[in-house]
Amino acid sequence: MPYQIENVQAIETLDSRAKPTLQVAVTLAGGLRATAGVPSGASTGSREAVELRDGDPDRYSGQGVLKAVSNCNTEIRDLLSGRAFDSLAALDQALIDLDGTPNKARLGANAILGTSMAFARAAAIADGKELWQWLPTIEGQAYRLPVPCFNVLNGGVHAPNPLEFQEFMISPLGAPSMPEAVRAGAEVYSALKKILASRGYSTGLGDEGGFAPDLATPQQVCDLLVEAITTAGYSHGRSGIMIALDPASSEFHKDGRYLIGESQLSSEQMIALLDELVERYPIWSIEDGAAEDDLADWQTLTRELGDKVQLVGDDNFCTNPAIISEAIDNGVANAALIKVNQIGTVTEAIDAIRLCHTNGYAQMVSHRSGETPDPFIADFVVAMGSGQIKTGAPARGERIAKYNRLLEITASASLPYGLA
Ligand code: PGA
Ligand code: ZN
């Protein structure tokens, strides 16, 4: 049934880092209204769709989004109000056409994505369905509750500590269910907090809710994670809890070298470091282990570690089907991170997932460091059947909104848990 849009209304709100973002409301004919909050990243890939910011130094240090808000409330509203769409794909295509640029630079990917998400939510309500039941699906990937990757220790641009590696996550691969996975994440997080406090480290939090102590090396962090997993009463390994890393290595890659502490690692040394970590610790997934613009490093990394560990492309893939397609041809990575705001419409993120699935690439659905309490990606990952999500620590409202939504979905439907 077609969904007739009556109105689109955006306002400037705040994300979890005190930076402006958009909340977009779509009203359907008859008055049904749904809203969506737009996420925003800090360690962004250079080919992400353009997040439109005002650049006015007198407001939010140039970070305001009033132009994007205005685009929703004028051009996008003018295009959509009174029009009916049969599907999310049709709505998204109309937005892409209206923008007219290859990277959504004119209207802003933030304005477009908010409209896309709010439309999906409104249409689901209109059909009397849960969002996950309404969203399109991927042939061959059934509904699934994902393994959560809890980012329990933050570094890189997400924390003020000396750690170059950005994210240290724990993944309860062997949990029997979503509630047990969430429980494991929370119990290990609490155990880690006690261990850090007992050794005199800060238990202050980074942007994604993980601790941000003054640790300097990835080995120190992995030692602590293994200890916290054991202290909390869990085993490590495929039948228990494993570690996932996102070094976000583009952030410390300068002139062909990976700058870690006092060392300037060559490409070979960086890959050897990751290999050493995989050999020594229960690590199952590494994201952005090579810099986004270094194809040769990515290919070597994939050749050398791709059989042992999941290698996730984030900054280099930007959830962009055209870029991912080229990367698949080039033998880069074996999984993709999926962030809806990197590409700017829900439909194109689904296209990226479909492409990955068809080519045997795993998909990890992801939040951004700047989030809102909108749990959209929880429904999204269940609908896609990807089996993996990273959405921060099991702490802070904007992170637990997603985990709690997954618990709510678990309670309402009998779905399998685990990797796809
Ligand atoms: P971002 O980081 O949301 O700050 O870009 C997340 C990531 O690199 O995965
Ligand atoms: Zn990343």
Side-chain angles (χ1 to χ4, degrees), residues 12 19-22 38-40 48-56 59 62-72 75-76 99 101 103-113 341:
E12 185 179 56
K19 271 174 81 167
T21 186
L22 286 88
V38 177
S40 167
E48 291 193 17
V50 175
E51 184 180 77
L52 193 62
R53 296 213 177 255
D54 299 337
D56 171 0
R59 292 188 74 251
Q63 299 291 311
V65 292
L66 293 180
K67 285 182 192 162
V69 164
S70 162
N71 289 340
C72 281
E75 273 198 66
I76 291 178
D99 175 76
T101 70
N103 54 4
K104 304 183 178 67
R106 199 177 71 78
L107 296 172
N110 39 1
I112 292 171
L113 178 69
N341 84 316

Side-chain angles (χ1 to χ4, degrees), residues 313-347:
D314 170 16
D315 287 351
N316 54 338
F317 285 5
C318 297
T319 315
N320 185 317
I323 298 175
I324 296 173
S325 178
E326 203 179 308
I328 291 171
D329 290 344
N330 284 329
V332 166
N334 53 32
L337 203 72
I338 303 292
K339 294 164 163 168
V340 284
N341 84 316
Q342 273 185 327
I343 186 70
T345 64
V346 178
T347 299

Side-chain angles (χ1 to χ4, degrees), residues 295-327:
L295 177 62
D297 279 11
W298 260 109
Q299 288 173 318
T300 314
L301 177 69
T302 308
R303 237 184 356 259
E304 295 191 6
L305 268 69
D307 291 338
K308 308 194 223 185
V309 75
Q310 173 171 281
L311 296 171
V312 187
D314 170 16
D315 287 351
N316 54 338
F317 285 5
C318 297
T319 315
N320 185 317
I323 298 175
I324 296 173
S325 178
E326 203 179 308

Side-chain angles (χ1 to χ4, degrees), residues 19 30 36-37 39 43 47 54 178 182 188 192 219 233 244 291 356 358 366:
K19 271 174 81 167
S43 73
R47 291 195 282 174
D54 299 337
M178 192 78 229
V182 169
V188 174
L192 179 61
Q219 289 87 343
C356 287
T358 307
S366 172

Side-chain angles (χ1 to χ4, degrees), residues 17 40-45 48 157-158 166-167 207-208 246 248 251 287-288 314-315 337 339 341-342 366-370 390:
R17 305 162 304 177
S40 167
S43 73
T44 50
E48 291 193 17
V157 297
H158 294 165
Q166 181 177 282
E167 299 174 21
D207 286 349
E208 297 192 345
D246 179 6
E251 296 290 333
E287 179 183 325
D288 284 352
D314 170 16
D315 287 351
L337 203 72
K339 294 164 163 168
N341 84 316
Q342 273 185 327
S366 172
H367 65 155
R368 299 307 302 252
S369 54
K390 68 166 194 175

Side-chain angles (χ1 to χ4, degrees), residues 20 45 57 70 87 106 150 174 188 203 225 248 274 282 299 389 400 402 414:
S70 162
S87 64
R106 199 177 71 78
F150 298 102
V188 174
T203 53
L225 292 194
L274 295 176
Q299 288 173 318
I389 190 171
I400 61 164
K402 283 70 164 171
S414 168

Side-chain angles (χ1 to χ4, degrees), residues 117-332:
M117 291 165 72
F119 172 83
R121 185 166 275 140
I125 299 170
D127 284 353
K129 289 186 176 171
E130 294 292 325
L131 178 57
W132 63 270
Q133 292 171 314
W134 184 86
L135 286 167
T137 52
I138 305 296
E139 209 186 310
Q141 261 191 181
Y143 291 139
R144 179 170 283 280
L145 293 158
V147 171
C149 300
F150 298 102
N151 183 5
V152 294
L153 208 134
N154 299 179
V157 297
H158 294 165
N161 57 13
L163 272 174
E164 285 85 8
F165 279 30
Q166 181 177 282
E167 299 174 21
F168 295 84
M169 296 170 272
I170 50 166
S171 312
L173 292 176
S177 66
M178 192 78 229
E180 288 304 312
V182 169
R183 176 183 157 204
E187 290 180 353
V188 174
Y189 183 78
S190 300
L192 179 61
K193 182 173 183 175
K194 283 198 193 113
I195 294 170
L196 289 171
S198 72
R199 310 225 170 123
Y201 287 112
S202 156
T203 53
L205 305 184
D207 286 349
E208 297 192 345
F211 304 110
D214 270 344
L215 295 164
T217 69
Q219 289 87 343
Q220 281 178 300
V221 180
C222 289
D223 281 331
L224 283 171
L225 292 194
V226 168
E227 188 182 343
I229 291 168
T230 312
T231 307
Y234 293 91
S235 62
H236 40 83
R238 292 257 157 195
S239 59
I241 300 180
M242 293 192 79
I243 295 172
L245 302 177
D246 179 6
S249 68
S250 302
E251 296 290 333
F252 52 88
H253 186 249
K254 303 264 145 45
D255 304 325
R257 298 257 158 187
Y258 295 89
L259 310 185
I260 300 188
E262 302 294 303
S263 341
Q264 304 192 355
L265 302 187
S266 66
S267 304
E268 296 72 38
Q269 288 170 319
M270 176 67 185
I271 292 168
L273 167 64
L274 295 176
D275 198 15
E276 179 207 313
L277 292 173
V278 169
E279 292 300 323
R280 188 161 149 199
Y281 300 103
I283 293 171
W284 74 284
S285 180
I286 301 176
E287 179 183 325
D288 284 352
E292 65 162 287
D293 53 2
D294 203 318
L295 177 62
D297 279 11
W298 260 109
Q299 288 173 318
T300 314
L301 177 69
T302 308
R303 237 184 356 259
E304 295 191 6
L305 268 69
D307 291 338
K308 308 194 223 185
V309 75
Q310 173 171 281
L311 296 171
V312 187
D314 170 16
D315 287 351
N316 54 338
F317 285 5
C318 297
T319 315
N320 185 317
I323 298 175
I324 296 173
S325 178
E326 203 179 308
I328 291 171
D329 290 344
N330 284 329
V332 166

